[in-house]
Amino acid sequence: MIDKKSIAVLPFVNMSNNIENEYFCDGLTEEIINALAKIKDLSVTSRTSSFYFKNKTVTAKEIRERLNVATFIEGSVRASKNKIRITVQMIDTGNDLHFWSETFDRNPDNVFQIQDEVSLFIAEKLREHIGHLEIEDKLVEPINVPVAIYREYLKGRYYIMKLDVKNSIKGINILKDVIKKEPNFIQPYLDINLSYTYMGTLGLLPADEAFQNAQPFFQKAIELNPNSSRVQLNLSWIECWHNWNLEKAYEHANKALEIQPSDDIYLTISNYLTVEGKLDSAHNFLDKALQLDPFSAMNHHYKGFLLYLQEKYNDALPYLQKALELNTDLVFPPLYIGECLLFTGKQEEAVTYYNNLKGIPVTDLTQLGGLALCYAKMNDYKKCEEKVIELETYLESKNIDKAFNFLILVNVLLGNYDKAIDLVEQAFENHLPLILLLNTEPIIKPIKNNKRFKSIMLKAIPDNVNYKQKKKYKQALLDTNEIKKYSKELEQIMIDYKLYLNPDLSLKDLASYLELPANYVSQLLNLGFQKNFSEYVNTFRVNEFKERVLQKENKGLTIMAVAYDSGFNSKTVFNTFFKKIEGITPNAYLKSNS
């Protein structure tokens, strides 16, 4: 079922011949997406998926099916020296109804005012169409730089968002010039950091070189605004992958989520849950990322990766293949596509797949490591040894992390468990990030219960759910800080997933989302919210009913029909809880608000 409070903003069409106007069109689209994403309870498709449809002709039905949204915005921009004309339309994807269109003729020098005005207008019209939304007085904050400099910034961002090396370097050089002119403008620093980090992560540049190039720009961004959502997300990555401090990593990621929700923040939290071994919860957050950005190659890859970790190899393959379809330069999926073939008995097919890999540099080690895994699994010791010797030559290179990873996995497959654990120990001493993902790797299973391996894992991740002793119930189940932490997490889960709409929701269901025993969640509700399970969940249902019953599209429904749609499954329970919470009957509420 499509959430009626969901929207996509398609890239605005450049109606001018001037390429400069193309930068403004993309920038305006991004600003509107970012502005609408600030509205609580509104689900906004991310940039990647919206821009997938740039320069493509699509129907409302296609947008509904492919982006899973109830509404979308399309528009165009025509610019001249003294005037800019922006035309905006809002379309209901269910019936292909263009329920409003507006044209804005404005002075091109008032760029920030234009962005805010158009965003607010869209938000207000959306509220009229779908029901109540809390909208702030301003959605786009003006930037204290001259318009000419801002247009140069949009030009630089236009090139780096093409996400290939040639255009990224071109965009970075433009943004460096912007920084020289406006050294206190934070966005160019964040975008240069993003561009280098992306190229390093995808293997488009040597990782160490890319991250070193990014670092000074990120440090300056922290100085300028430590509370930026992008800054908080980057700090979160550093705490996890560099400092191995998951508590701090979650803290920064949740702060970024509070400032402005986005698919990459949900993806990041899914990463951390994977590190902890909480794979079911990792799926929940990843599904939210996919909902916001269904055309993100990385989101599809990670969904496939999670299924691979759960040894659901046949289920994983379509996601991994879709990731490559969306981005042929993505270096991660091929390794796991080959492994899925290998572990479903298609060993020769896996060897052929790795041998025929195209477009991935040899130094990425996917082909070399993938073949080593195949030969180890097939007990072809001679060929395996040749690949292992070659992998060992990379232990002194920039690819030390990948080399160690393959050597550990190959030795486990060969049954050389002590050798594999020696390598794990060396990787730990070298503080290699691969350590954080070893505990969920299926190939590692034969050594997971080894005392020495457990010890290394616990030193790296003290809260590792795979290796710590099973928590014994205690009299005081949760302390004050834990209650505060989990209360916040539970509220976010209820908002994101609307669990209360399930009439059969149980305390155990709620507990599974928090990865806590039901006893703990019962105590959490009692001490954190002063409610029992029924009171807590039905409060959400009452609020949902109050919102739905006043909507135009529900005018023809009975009160109980709306109550059932809001998650209640009993007339008595609904009437009792409504009067308890609101102090009046549902009928009286409806009459007083008609």
Side-chain angles (χ1 to χ4, degrees), residues 74 165 230 270 356 477 560:
E74 62 180 14
V165 174
R230 297 294 94 191
S270 182
N356 292 336
L477 301 178
M560 278 316 300

Side-chain angles (χ1 to χ4, degrees), residues 452-464:
R452 189 155 63 103
F453 182 75
K454 283 184 182 181
S455 174
I456 298 167
M457 289 293 102
L458 278 171
K459 279 190 284 185
I461 320 163
D463 289 331
N464 192 321

Side-chain angles (χ1 to χ4, degrees), residues 31-32 35-36 114-123 139-140:
E31 280 301 336
I32 292 173
L36 295 178
I114 292 169
Q115 290 172 344
D116 189 48
E117 183 181 357
V118 173
S119 299
L120 280 170
F121 190 84
I122 290 171
L139 292 176
V140 177

Side-chain angles (χ1 to χ4, degrees), residues 22-23 37 323 514:
E22 189 78 13
Y23 313 143
L514 285 169

Side-chain angles (χ1 to χ4, degrees), residues 545-587:
F545 169 84
K546 285 164 59 183
E547 185 178 320
R548 288 179 181 237
V549 78
L550 300 178
Q551 291 166 358
K552 289 179 183 176
E553 60 264 38
N554 291 330
K555 291 296 182 188
L557 298 178
T558 65
I559 282 178
M560 278 316 300
V562 178
Y564 290 138
D565 285 345
S566 303
F568 285 98
N569 60 5
S570 160
K571 182 176 181 179
T572 304
V573 171
F574 166 62
N575 287 322
T576 301
F577 266 99
F578 193 94
K579 189 165 185 182
K580 180 179 178 181
I581 292 169
E582 297 298 320
I584 56 174
T585 65
N587 270 314

Side-chain angles (χ1 to χ4, degrees), residues 223 228 240 259 331 336 339 355 415 484 487 546 552 563 565:
E223 290 174 26
S228 155
C240 177
I259 297 167
V331 296
Y336 296 103
E339 288 193 49
N355 274 322
K484 186 176 179 181
S487 293
K546 285 164 59 183
K552 289 179 183 176
D565 285 345

